[in-house]
C-alpha cells in the first residue's frame, strides 16, 4: 500500500488547458450531461474496462458482469464509470490475436493513465485479453482488480460430452481422416460452444484465469466459475465492492505482485497442466514489473510440481467440473507446502490467509492428490540445444511418452503456405518415424506467432491411424491441443535462428530427460548453409503503421513477445 497524496476522483489527471480550475469545471460540465449529481462526482471513481464486442463470444456476458460490478461499486459508496478498450477473440483476429495483444495492452495502459479513476476493474477472458489487461494495468500501476468472464459450459453431441476447443480439433481431425462427413462436422459446430464464456478446457484462457487468481490479482474462487452461473455475477459484485476499498487503500499492482506472486503463478501453471501459451504471457506480464518468469525458472519449478488437474486436453474433464470440485483452492492446497503463502493479494490478505478462508475441501475426482498425481512432475518442460539456443517448450503432460526420447529425419515446411499446400499430398515423403518441421511461424516470421504449432498429421498417415508424431516449430499452439509438439523455438527462423537452416533429411534429436533439442548437422555444414542463406523479403505493408511497430520491436518468446520499449529498463 502506498502513501497517496495524489488528487482523487474527477480531479485526477486534468486535461491541460493551462488553468486547472477551468479543466475541472469543463470536465464536470461534460460529465453532468450524462445526469450525474455533485454527490456522485465526489465519490471514489472505479473505472471498469469494457471488453464487450460483437466479435467476441467469450465476452458475451460482459454487459451482465459490468452491471454486477457497478452494483458492487455503488453498494460500497463508489462511482462506477465504464470505458471501452480493444477486445480480441481468437478466431476473429487477422493475422492472429497474438499480433494484437500488445496493442490492446497499450490501449489499456494509456486509457487507465489518461482518464480519472481511483481504481480499475479489468474484465476479460479470451486468451489474449487477460494478459493484455494485466500488462497494461501493471504498467499503469493504478489499484487494479481482475474479473474474468469465466468458462463456457460443456456441450452435448448425440450423448457425447464435448467442448471448445480440444474437441473442435479432435472432431476436425476425424473429419480429415474421413470418419465424420460434412453434415456431421456441421452439426458438431452447433454443439461445441453451447454458451457464453471462454473455452471450457485447460486452454490458455482457463490457464491465465487460474494463474491470475494464484498471483493474487483476482478475488478468490473467481477463475473457474462458469460464465453463465449466478455465482459469476455474485463474484463480480464482490469485485466491484473490493475495487472501492483498494482505491481507498491505494493498493497498487506494484504493492501486490512480487517475484513470489509470479512463482506461485508458475507453480500453478505446472500443477494444472496449463497451456504453453501462458509461459509467453506470464513472461510479458512479469516483465512489466521487472520480475522474472524465464524458461529456467519454469523448468525448475516444474521438476518439483506434480500435475494434478484432470481436464482436457491432457485429461478428460471440463472447467465446469473443476468449478464443482472447488476451483483453484483444492489445487493450491495440494501444493501448499511449495507455495509462497505470505504473498500479498488484492484482498489485502496473503495467499495463505485466503486459502485458509476458502470453503473446506469435499470429495471430488478432478483435482488429484499430490500423493497420486496425474504426473509426478514436469507438466511443461523447457528445452535448449543447437536447434533452440535460446529455448523452446514442450507440454510433456500432453505428449506421447514413446516420443520423448526420439531421433528422426526432418520433413521440412518452409512456412504456413507451404504446409497448407503439401501436408496432405499423397507424394509427401514422410513416415511416422519422421520429425515434422515448420519454419517462419514465429513472432516476426508469420507474423504474429500463430497457433500453427499443432501441425496436422499428414493425411496419408492419419488414415493409417497415426495419431501423434514429433512436430516442432517457432509457432505457438492452442492450449486446447495435444501431442508431442515442440513450440516457441528461439531465436525464430525469421530472426536468425538455426531453425531457418534445417533441410529435409537432417537428423533431429529430442532428449526430454536431458532437456535438449539438437540438429545433428556439423558446424562446418551449418556455417556453409548460413553463408548461402537468403533472408525472406519483408512482409507486405511492413513499411508503416502497427505492423512496422510490431516487427521493429517485438521480442522473442522467452521475453514474452512484448514490445521492447514497453519493458522497463
Ligand atoms: Fe476465447 Fe478460446 S476462443 S477462450
Amino acid at each position: 500500500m502506498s502513501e497517496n497524496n495524489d488528487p482523487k476522483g474527477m480531479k485526477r489527471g486534468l486535461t491541460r488547458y493551462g488553468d486547472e480550475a477551468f479543466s475541472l469545471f469543463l470536465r464536470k460540465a461534460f460529465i453532468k450531461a450524462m445526469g450525474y449529481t455533485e454527490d456522485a462526482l465526489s465519490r471514489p471513481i472505479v473505472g471498469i474496462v469494457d471488453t464487450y464486442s460483437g466479435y467476441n463470444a467469450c465476452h458475451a456476458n460482459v454487459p451482465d458482469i459490468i452491471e454486477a460490478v457497478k452494483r458492487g461499486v455503488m453498494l460500497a459508496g463508489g462511482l462506477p464509470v465504464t470505458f471501452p478498450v480493444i477486445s480480441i477473440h481468437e478466431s476473429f483476429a487477422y493475422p492472429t490475436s497474438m499480433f494484437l495483444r500488445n496493442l490492446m495492452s497499450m490501449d489499456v495502459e494509456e486509457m487507465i493513465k489518461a482518464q480519472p479513476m481511483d481504481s480499475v476493474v479489468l474484465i476479460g477472458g479470451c486468451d489474449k485479453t487477460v494478459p493484455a489487461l494485466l500488462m497494461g494495468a501493471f504498467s499503469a500501476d493504478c489499484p487494479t482488480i481482475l474479473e474474468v468472464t469465466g468458462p463456457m459450459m460443456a456441450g452435448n453431441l448425440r450423448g457425447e460430452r464435448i467442448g471448445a476447443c480440444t474437441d473442435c480439433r479432435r472432431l476436425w481431425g476425424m473429419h480429415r481422416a474421413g470418419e465424420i462427413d460434412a453434415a456431421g462436422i456441421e452439426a458438431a459446430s452447433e454443439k461445441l460452444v453451447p454458451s457464453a464464456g471462454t473455452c471450457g478446457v485447460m486452454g490458455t484462457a482457463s490457464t491465465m484465469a487460474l494463474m491470475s487468481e494464484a498471483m493474487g490479482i483476482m478475488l478468490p474462487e473467481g477463475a473457474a466459475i462458469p460464465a453463465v452461473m449466478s455465482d459469476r455475477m455474485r463474484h463480480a459484485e464482490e469485485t466491484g465492492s473490493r475495487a472501492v476499498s483498494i482505491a481507498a487503500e491505494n493498493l497498487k499492482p506494484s504493492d501486490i505482485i512480487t517475484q513470489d506472486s509470479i512463482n506461485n503463478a508458475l507453480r500453478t501453471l505446472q500443477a494444472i497442466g496449463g497451456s504453453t501459451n501462458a509461459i509467453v504471457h506470464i513472461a510479458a506480464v512479469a516483465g512489466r514489473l521487472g520480475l522474472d518468469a524465464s524458461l529456467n525458472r519454469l523448468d525448475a519449478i516444474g521438476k518439483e510440481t506434480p500435475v494434478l488437474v484432470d481436464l482436457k486436453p491432457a485429461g478428460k474433464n471440463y472447467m465446469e467440473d473443476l468449478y464443482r470440485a472447488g476451483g483453484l483452492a483444492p489445487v493450491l492446497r495440494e501444493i501448499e507446502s511449495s507455495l509462497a503463502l505470505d504473498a500479498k493479494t488484492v484482498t489485502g490478505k496473503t495467499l495463505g490467509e485466503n486459502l485458509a478462508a476458502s470453503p473446506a475441501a469435499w470429495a471430488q475426482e478432478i483435482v488429484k492428490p499430490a500423493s497420486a498425481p496425474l504426473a509426478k512432475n514436469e507438466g511443461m518442460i523447457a528445452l535448449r540445444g543447437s536447434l533452440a539456443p535460446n529455448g523452446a517448450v514442450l507440454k510433456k503432460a500432453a505428449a506421447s511418452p514413446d516420443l520423448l526420447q526420439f531421433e528422426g529425419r526432418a520433413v521440412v515446411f518452409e512456412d504456413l503456405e507451404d504446409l497448407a499446400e503439401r501436408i496432405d499430398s499423397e507424394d509427401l515423403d514422410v513416415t511416422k518415424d519422421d520429425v515434422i518441421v515448420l519454419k517462419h511461424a514465429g513472432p516476426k516470421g508469420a507474423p504474429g506467432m500463430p497457433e500453427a504449432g499443432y501441425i496436422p498429421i499428414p493425411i496419408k498417415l492419419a488414415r493409417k491411424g497415426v495419431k501423434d508424431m514429433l512436430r516442432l516449430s517457432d509457432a505457438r499452439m492452442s492450449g486446447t491441443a495435444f501431442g508431442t509438439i515442440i513450440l516457441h523455438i528461439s531465436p525464430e527462423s525469421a530472426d536468425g535462428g538455426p531453425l531457418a537452416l534445417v533441410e529435409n533429411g537432417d537428423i533431429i534429436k529430442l532428449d526430454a530427460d536431458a532437456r535438449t533439442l539438437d540438429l545433428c548437422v556439423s558446424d562446418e555444414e551449418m556455417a556453409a548453409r548460413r553463408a548461402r542463406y537468403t533472408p525472406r523479403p519483408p512482409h507486405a505493408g511492413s513499411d508503416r503503421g502497427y505492423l512496422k511497430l510490431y516487427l521493429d520491436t517485438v521480442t522473442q518468446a522467452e521475453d514474452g513477445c512484448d514490445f521492447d520499449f514497453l519493458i522497463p529498463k
Side-chain angles (χ1 to χ4, degrees):
M1 217 176 305
S2 332
E3 185 68 26
N4 185 13
N5 298 317
D6 297 339
K8 307 278 190 307
M10 282 293 153
K11 293 181 183 158
R12 281 183 184 271
L14 289 168
T15 310
R16 291 199 164 158
Y17 292 115
D19 177 345
E20 290 200 343
F22 174 71
S23 297
L24 182 60
F25 164 75
L26 200 60
R27 174 174 286 178
K28 281 178 148 186
F30 274 102
I31 202 162
K32 281 179 177 173
M34 290 189 273
Y36 291 106
T37 60
E38 274 294 333
D39 180 24
L41 296 176
S42 69
R43 304 299 180 106
I45 299 176
V46 176
I48 303 173
V49 175
D50 182 357
T51 51
Y52 178 79
S53 161
Y55 290 105
N56 196 342
C58 303
H59 290 204
N61 62 343
V62 166
D64 294 338
I65 290 179
I66 286 176
E67 283 311 306
V69 170
K70 280 181 165 178
R71 190 164 63 242
V73 171
M74 289 191 281
L75 284 169
L79 174 67
V81 181
T82 56
F83 63 98
V85 298
I86 293 169
S87 186
I88 309 168
H89 183 276
E90 288 304 290
S91 304
F92 286 87
Y94 178 85
T96 69
S97 59
M98 188 66 181
F99 177 66
L100 297 168
R101 184 201 64 180
N102 297 349
L103 181 65
M104 180 175 172
S105 84
M106 292 168 72
D107 184 6
V108 171
E109 176 181 348
E110 298 306 327
M111 288 301 97
I112 292 174
K113 290 198 300 203
Q115 301 171 130
M117 61 192 81
D118 299 301
S119 66
V120 62
V121 178
L122 310 174
I123 303 175
C126 195
D127 291 15
K128 304 305 173 295
T129 62
V130 167
L133 289 166
L134 295 180
M135 290 160 72
F138 286 6
S139 291
D141 207 25
C142 171
T144 295
I145 188 166
L146 172 69
E147 179 70 26
V148 292
T149 56
M152 65 181 70
M153 306 303 284
N156 187 304
L157 181 65
R158 296 198 200 101
E160 183 193 2
R161 210 164 169 231
I162 58 169
C165 231
T166 302
D167 296 309
C168 309
R169 295 171 199 284
R170 182 177 60 81
L171 294 173
W172 188 252
M174 291 170 73
H175 175 55
R176 275 172 51 80
E179 295 165 31
I180 297 179
D181 64 13
I185 200 72
E186 178 73 24
S189 75
E190 294 181 1
K191 304 295 179 190
L192 278 162
V193 188
S195 79
T198 50
C199 287
V201 296
M202 192 56 79
T204 307
S206 305
T207 304
M208 287 308 303
L210 291 158
M211 290 172 76
S212 299
E213 185 178 332
M215 199 191 302
I217 200 68
M218 186 196 305
L219 290 185
E221 302 178 44
I225 306 169
V228 295
M229 287 181 71
S230 58
D231 285 351
R232 170 59 61 199
M233 299 307 146
R234 274 186 285 279
H235 193 272
E237 184 184 301
E238 287 165 11
T239 295
S241 297
R242 181 62 192 150
V244 178
S245 307
I246 61 171
E249 295 163 15
N250 197 30
L251 187 63
K252 297 176 177 176
S254 58
D255 299 317
I256 300 173
I257 307 300
T258 61
Q259 191 59 55
D260 279 347
S261 324
I262 299 298
N263 292 351
N264 286 340
L266 287 170
R267 204 167 285 283
T268 299
L269 168 62
Q270 293 282 13
I272 60 179
S275 159
T276 47
N277 287 325
I279 184 58
V280 180
H281 297 319
I282 192 69
V285 169
R288 292 297 183 97
L289 291 175
L291 301 170
D292 173 45
S294 62
L295 290 176
N296 285 350
R297 190 176 290 269
L298 171 83
D299 200 76
I301 286 175
K303 281 182 178 154
E304 53 191 37
T305 308
V307 182
L308 301 172
V309 181
D310 184 5
L311 254 62
K312 289 188 172 188
K316 51 183 184 296
N317 299 292
Y318 295 88
M319 278 298 281
E320 62 178 76
D321 304 315
L322 177 64
Y323 178 59
R324 292 196 186 98
L328 181 64
V331 181
L332 296 184
R333 284 203 182 100
E334 291 298 328
I335 57 171
E336 196 168 351
S337 60
S338 55
L339 289 169
L341 291 173
D342 53 0
K344 200 166 184 179
T345 75
V346 76
T347 64
K349 300 190 173 74
T350 65
L351 183 68
E353 288 169 331
N354 292 345
L355 199 50
S358 297
W362 56 86
Q364 50 84 27
E365 295 189 338
I366 308 300
V367 181
K368 305 297 177 193
S371 55
L374 290 172
K376 202 169 107 241
N377 54 14
E378 301 179 347
M380 194 184 302
I381 63 172
L383 303 165
R384 280 180 212 278
S386 58
L387 190 50
N390 293 344
V393 298
L394 169 67
K395 187 169 178 177
K396 202 174 154 193
S400 301
D402 56 326
L403 295 176
L404 292 173
Q405 310 294 131
F406 193 81
E407 197 171 315
R409 191 184 63 136
V411 176
V412 178
F413 295 90
E414 288 299 322
D415 53 30
L416 292 168
E417 289 70 31
D418 186 28
L419 180 74
E421 212 169 284
R422 294 193 298 117
I423 188 75
D424 287 340
S425 165
E426 294 296 334
D427 299 332
L428 185 67
D429 179 13
V430 66
T431 75
K432 69 174 178 42
D433 298 319
D434 292 331
V435 180
I436 302 184
V437 177
L438 171 63
K439 301 180 186 176
H440 297 104
K444 295 183 182 184
M449 206 179 183
E451 290 186 340
Y454 184 66
I455 303 165
I457 301 293
I459 205 156
K460 67 182 195 181
L461 298 180
R463 280 200 216 103
K464 289 181 190 160
V466 176
K467 299 279 187 227
D468 195 11
M469 293 173 68
L470 181 58
R471 291 160 273 176
L472 53 89
S473 71
D474 43 15
R476 295 177 304 114
M477 172 175 86
S478 166
T480 63
F482 55 92
T484 312
I485 298 175
I486 295 169
L487 304 155
H488 312 176
I489 289 179
S490 176
E492 64 171 300
S493 32
D495 202 38
L499 181 63
L501 307 178
V502 180
E503 295 183 358
N504 279 319
D506 288 349
I507 298 300
I508 289 174
K509 190 174 173 187
L510 166 68
D511 183 341
D513 290 344
R515 304 289 198 268
T516 54
L517 178 66
D518 288 308
L519 179 63
C520 303
V521 173
S522 70
D523 291 347
E524 296 73 31
E525 173 61 15
M526 286 298 279
R529 288 184 191 181
R530 198 168 285 285
R532 63 174 184 262
Y533 176 73
T534 311
R536 311 189 113 207
H539 295 291
S542 60
D543 57 340
R544 64 167 296 281
Y546 179 69
L547 179 57
K548 176 169 171 50
L549 177 73
Y550 176 94
L551 291 171
D552 286 350
T553 64
V554 73
T555 58
Q556 292 290 287
E558 69 275 15
D559 293 320
C561 299
D562 202 355
F563 292 157
D564 56 13
F565 64 90
L566 294 173
I567 304 168
K569 295 284 176 279

mmCIF file of all heavy atoms in Angstrom, residues 56-59 88-91 125-127 152 164-165 197-200 204-206 480, ligand 1:
data_model
loop_
_atom_site.group_PDB
_atom_site.id
_atom_site.type_symbol
_atom_site.label_atom_id
_atom_site.label_comp_id
_atom_site.label_asym_id
_atom_site.label_seq_id
_atom_site.Cartn_x
_atom_site.Cartn_y
_atom_site.Cartn_z
ATOM 1 N N ASN A 56 -16.827 -11.167 -30.111
ATOM 2 C CA ASN A 56 -16.163 -11.931 -29.064
ATOM 3 C C ASN A 56 -17.167 -12.686 -28.196
ATOM 4 O O ASN A 56 -17.626 -12.190 -27.161
ATOM 5 C CB ASN A 56 -15.303 -10.986 -28.210
ATOM 6 C CG ASN A 56 -14.299 -11.743 -27.362
ATOM 7 O OD1 ASN A 56 -14.443 -12.953 -27.153
ATOM 8 N ND2 ASN A 56 -13.295 -11.044 -26.882
ATOM 9 N N ALA A 57 -17.484 -13.914 -28.605
ATOM 10 C CA ALA A 57 -18.456 -14.736 -27.859
ATOM 11 C C ALA A 57 -17.945 -15.075 -26.464
ATOM 12 O O ALA A 57 -18.750 -15.279 -25.546
ATOM 13 C CB ALA A 57 -18.732 -16.021 -28.629
ATOM 14 N N CYS A 58 -16.646 -15.129 -26.298
ATOM 15 C CA CYS A 58 -16.081 -15.440 -24.979
ATOM 16 C C CYS A 58 -16.377 -14.326 -23.986
ATOM 17 O O CYS A 58 -16.261 -14.515 -22.783
ATOM 18 C CB CYS A 58 -14.580 -15.669 -25.090
ATOM 19 S SG CYS A 58 -14.162 -16.970 -26.262
ATOM 20 N N HIS A 59 -16.752 -13.151 -24.505
ATOM 21 C CA HIS A 59 -17.066 -11.997 -23.657
ATOM 22 C C HIS A 59 -18.552 -11.631 -23.749
ATOM 23 O O HIS A 59 -18.929 -10.506 -23.412
ATOM 24 C CB HIS A 59 -16.224 -10.789 -24.074
ATOM 25 C CG HIS A 59 -14.765 -10.934 -23.750
ATOM 26 N ND1 HIS A 59 -13.938 -9.850 -23.582
ATOM 27 C CD2 HIS A 59 -13.994 -12.026 -23.558
ATOM 28 C CE1 HIS A 59 -12.706 -10.276 -23.302
ATOM 29 N NE2 HIS A 59 -12.720 -11.596 -23.292
ATOM 30 N N ILE A 88 -10.293 -8.732 -28.171
ATOM 31 C CA ILE A 88 -9.723 -9.645 -29.184
ATOM 32 C C ILE A 88 -10.260 -11.050 -28.964
ATOM 33 O O ILE A 88 -10.143 -11.593 -27.855
ATOM 34 C CB ILE A 88 -8.183 -9.722 -29.067
ATOM 35 C CG1 ILE A 88 -7.545 -8.335 -29.036
ATOM 36 C CG2 ILE A 88 -7.605 -10.538 -30.211
ATOM 37 C CD1 ILE A 88 -6.076 -8.369 -28.626
ATOM 38 N N HIS A 89 -10.830 -11.629 -29.988
ATOM 39 C CA HIS A 89 -11.227 -13.045 -29.933
ATOM 40 C C HIS A 89 -10.292 -13.861 -30.823
ATOM 41 O O HIS A 89 -9.878 -13.405 -31.895
ATOM 42 C CB HIS A 89 -12.673 -13.232 -30.402
ATOM 43 C CG HIS A 89 -13.140 -14.659 -30.281
ATOM 44 N ND1 HIS A 89 -12.881 -15.607 -31.246
ATOM 45 C CD2 HIS A 89 -13.810 -15.291 -29.287
ATOM 46 C CE1 HIS A 89 -13.399 -16.768 -30.853
ATOM 47 N NE2 HIS A 89 -13.964 -16.597 -29.674
ATOM 48 N N GLU A 90 -9.995 -15.070 -30.374
ATOM 49 C CA GLU A 90 -9.024 -15.917 -31.083
ATOM 50 C C GLU A 90 -9.361 -16.130 -32.554
ATOM 51 O O GLU A 90 -8.481 -16.100 -33.407
ATOM 52 C CB GLU A 90 -8.933 -17.286 -30.389
ATOM 53 C CG GLU A 90 -8.239 -17.257 -29.063
ATOM 54 C CD GLU A 90 -6.848 -16.686 -29.173
ATOM 55 O OE1 GLU A 90 -5.981 -17.347 -29.746
ATOM 56 O OE2 GLU A 90 -6.623 -15.556 -28.689
ATOM 57 N N SER A 91 -10.627 -16.364 -32.831
ATOM 58 C CA SER A 91 -10.993 -16.763 -34.197
ATOM 59 C C SER A 91 -11.390 -15.588 -35.073
ATOM 60 O O SER A 91 -11.788 -15.784 -36.221
ATOM 61 C CB SER A 91 -12.157 -17.759 -34.149
ATOM 62 O OG SER A 91 -11.816 -18.844 -33.348
ATOM 63 N N GLY A 125 -11.259 -12.339 -20.617
ATOM 64 C CA GLY A 125 -11.367 -13.783 -20.529
ATOM 65 C C GLY A 125 -10.693 -14.492 -21.682
ATOM 66 O O GLY A 125 -9.857 -15.377 -21.473
ATOM 67 N N CYS A 126 -11.041 -14.129 -22.908
ATOM 68 C CA CYS A 126 -10.483 -14.828 -24.064
ATOM 69 C C CYS A 126 -8.961 -14.691 -24.047
ATOM 70 O O CYS A 126 -8.413 -13.707 -23.540
ATOM 71 C CB CYS A 126 -11.094 -14.271 -25.352
ATOM 72 S SG CYS A 126 -10.805 -15.349 -26.780
ATOM 73 N N ASP A 127 -8.294 -15.681 -24.653
ATOM 74 C CA ASP A 127 -6.859 -15.916 -24.440
ATOM 75 C C ASP A 127 -5.981 -14.677 -24.260
ATOM 76 O O ASP A 127 -5.216 -14.593 -23.308
ATOM 77 C CB ASP A 127 -6.289 -16.705 -25.617
ATOM 78 C CG ASP A 127 -6.797 -18.130 -25.671
ATOM 79 O OD1 ASP A 127 -7.787 -18.444 -24.983
ATOM 80 O OD2 ASP A 127 -6.214 -18.930 -26.415
ATOM 81 N N MET A 152 -17.079 -21.389 -20.525
ATOM 82 C CA MET A 152 -18.362 -21.838 -21.083
ATOM 83 C C MET A 152 -18.756 -23.192 -20.470
ATOM 84 O O MET A 152 -17.937 -23.873 -19.851
ATOM 85 C CB MET A 152 -18.258 -21.982 -22.603
ATOM 86 C CG MET A 152 -17.296 -23.064 -23.045
ATOM 87 S SD MET A 152 -17.143 -23.232 -24.843
ATOM 88 C CE MET A 152 -16.273 -21.752 -25.292
ATOM 89 N N ALA A 164 -15.371 -26.665 -26.619
ATOM 90 C CA ALA A 164 -14.276 -25.978 -27.289
ATOM 91 C C ALA A 164 -13.090 -25.918 -26.317
ATOM 92 O O ALA A 164 -13.282 -25.744 -25.129
ATOM 93 C CB ALA A 164 -14.723 -24.575 -27.691
ATOM 94 N N CYS A 165 -11.851 -26.022 -26.835
ATOM 95 C CA CYS A 165 -11.703 -26.277 -28.250
ATOM 96 C C CYS A 165 -10.936 -27.560 -28.516
ATOM 97 O O CYS A 165 -10.601 -27.863 -29.651
ATOM 98 C CB CYS A 165 -10.979 -25.104 -28.884
ATOM 99 S SG CYS A 165 -11.867 -24.491 -30.337
ATOM 100 N N GLY A 197 -18.787 -17.486 -22.713
ATOM 101 C CA GLY A 197 -17.669 -17.861 -21.844
ATOM 102 C C GLY A 197 -16.474 -18.344 -22.628
ATOM 103 O O GLY A 197 -16.530 -18.531 -23.846
ATOM 104 N N THR A 198 -15.395 -18.540 -21.908
ATOM 105 C CA THR A 198 -14.127 -18.930 -22.537
ATOM 106 C C THR A 198 -14.069 -20.448 -22.718
ATOM 107 O O THR A 198 -14.860 -21.191 -22.116
ATOM 108 C CB THR A 198 -12.961 -18.451 -21.666
ATOM 109 O OG1 THR A 198 -13.188 -18.869 -20.313
ATOM 110 C CG2 THR A 198 -12.860 -16.941 -21.686
ATOM 111 N N CYS A 199 -13.125 -20.900 -23.531
ATOM 112 C CA CYS A 199 -13.016 -22.330 -23.844
ATOM 113 C C CYS A 199 -13.032 -23.147 -22.556
ATOM 114 O O CYS A 199 -12.322 -22.828 -21.593
ATOM 115 C CB CYS A 199 -11.752 -22.605 -24.643
ATOM 116 S SG CYS A 199 -11.891 -22.010 -26.338
ATOM 117 N N GLY A 200 -13.831 -24.210 -22.575
ATOM 118 C CA GLY A 200 -14.137 -24.939 -21.351
ATOM 119 C C GLY A 200 -13.147 -26.013 -20.958
ATOM 120 O O GLY A 200 -13.496 -26.901 -20.171
ATOM 121 N N THR A 204 -5.683 -21.748 -22.909
ATOM 122 C CA THR A 204 -4.964 -20.562 -22.441
ATOM 123 C C THR A 204 -5.838 -19.692 -21.537
ATOM 124 O O THR A 204 -5.365 -19.159 -20.528
ATOM 125 C CB THR A 204 -4.477 -19.751 -23.649
ATOM 126 O OG1 THR A 204 -3.739 -20.632 -24.497
ATOM 127 C CG2 THR A 204 -3.588 -18.606 -23.224
ATOM 128 N N ALA A 205 -7.110 -19.534 -21.889
ATOM 129 C CA ALA A 205 -7.982 -18.675 -21.092
ATOM 130 C C ALA A 205 -8.127 -19.219 -19.671
ATOM 131 O O ALA A 205 -7.989 -18.486 -18.687
ATOM 132 C CB ALA A 205 -9.347 -18.548 -21.763
ATOM 133 N N SER A 206 -8.414 -20.521 -19.548
ATOM 134 C CA SER A 206 -8.553 -21.134 -18.217
ATOM 135 C C SER A 206 -7.235 -21.024 -17.461
ATOM 136 O O SER A 206 -7.211 -20.728 -16.255
ATOM 137 C CB SER A 206 -8.937 -22.605 -18.342
ATOM 138 O OG SER A 206 -10.096 -22.752 -19.118
ATOM 139 N N THR A 480 -5.561 -25.802 -26.048
ATOM 140 C CA THR A 480 -6.570 -26.857 -26.090
ATOM 141 C C THR A 480 -6.103 -28.056 -26.918
ATOM 142 O O THR A 480 -6.818 -29.035 -27.045
ATOM 143 C CB THR A 480 -7.871 -26.314 -26.706
ATOM 144 O OG1 THR A 480 -7.614 -25.925 -28.049
ATOM 145 C CG2 THR A 480 -8.392 -25.123 -25.931
HETATM 146 FE FE1 LIG B 1 -11.905 -17.353 -26.467
HETATM 147 FE FE2 LIG B 1 -10.998 -19.958 -26.502
HETATM 148 S S1 LIG B 1 -11.620 -18.709 -28.188
HETATM 149 S S2 LIG B 1 -11.139 -18.572 -24.858
#
